[in-house]
Short mmCIF file of all heavy atoms in Angstrom, two decimals:
data_model
loop_
_atom_site.label_atom_id
_atom_site.label_comp_id
_atom_site.label_asym_id
_atom_site.label_seq_id
_atom_site.Cartn_x
_atom_site.Cartn_y
_atom_site.Cartn_z
N ASP A 240 -57.26 -75.94 46.73
CA ASP A 240 -57.21 -77.26 47.51
C ASP A 240 -58.58 -77.83 47.36
O ASP A 240 -59.58 -77.18 47.54
CB ASP A 240 -56.95 -76.93 48.98
CG ASP A 240 -55.46 -76.51 49.24
OD1 ASP A 240 -54.69 -76.56 48.24
OD2 ASP A 240 -55.19 -76.12 50.37
N ASP A 242 -60.46 -80.78 49.17
CA ASP A 242 -60.47 -81.60 50.40
C ASP A 242 -61.44 -82.78 50.36
O ASP A 242 -61.26 -83.71 51.06
CB ASP A 242 -60.76 -80.80 51.63
CG ASP A 242 -59.78 -79.65 51.81
OD1 ASP A 242 -58.86 -79.44 50.97
OD2 ASP A 242 -59.92 -79.00 52.90
N HIS A 339 -52.86 -83.18 47.38
CA HIS A 339 -53.25 -82.59 48.71
C HIS A 339 -53.40 -83.68 49.72
O HIS A 339 -54.40 -83.65 50.54
CB HIS A 339 -54.52 -81.73 48.53
CG HIS A 339 -54.88 -80.76 49.59
ND1 HIS A 339 -53.93 -80.07 50.26
CD2 HIS A 339 -55.97 -80.48 50.22
CE1 HIS A 339 -54.50 -79.36 51.21
NE2 HIS A 339 -55.85 -79.62 51.21
N HIS A 343 -57.13 -86.52 54.07
CA HIS A 343 -56.88 -85.16 54.49
C HIS A 343 -57.14 -85.01 55.99
O HIS A 343 -56.29 -84.33 56.60
CB HIS A 343 -57.98 -84.26 53.75
CG HIS A 343 -57.72 -82.83 53.96
ND1 HIS A 343 -58.05 -82.11 55.08
CD2 HIS A 343 -57.25 -81.86 53.04
CE1 HIS A 343 -57.86 -80.85 54.95
NE2 HIS A 343 -57.25 -80.65 53.77
N PRO A 383 -52.21 -80.97 53.71
CA PRO A 383 -53.52 -80.71 54.31
C PRO A 383 -53.36 -79.86 55.59
O PRO A 383 -52.50 -80.19 56.43
CB PRO A 383 -54.06 -82.12 54.59
CG PRO A 383 -53.43 -82.92 53.58
CD PRO A 383 -52.06 -82.41 53.41
N GLY A 384 -54.22 -78.81 55.66
CA GLY A 384 -54.20 -77.99 56.93
C GLY A 384 -52.96 -77.31 57.27
O GLY A 384 -52.66 -76.95 58.41
N HIS A 467 -60.46 -72.83 48.50
CA HIS A 467 -61.03 -74.18 48.70
C HIS A 467 -62.14 -74.51 47.73
O HIS A 467 -63.11 -73.70 47.64
CB HIS A 467 -61.51 -74.31 50.15
CG HIS A 467 -60.38 -74.27 51.17
ND1 HIS A 467 -60.06 -73.16 51.79
CD2 HIS A 467 -59.56 -75.23 51.57
CE1 HIS A 467 -58.96 -73.36 52.61
NE2 HIS A 467 -58.64 -74.66 52.45
ZN1 ZN B 706 -57.24 -78.88 52.59
#
Side-chain angles (χ1 to χ4, degrees):
D240 291 351
D242 300 3
H339 192 41
H343 188 284
H467 292 96

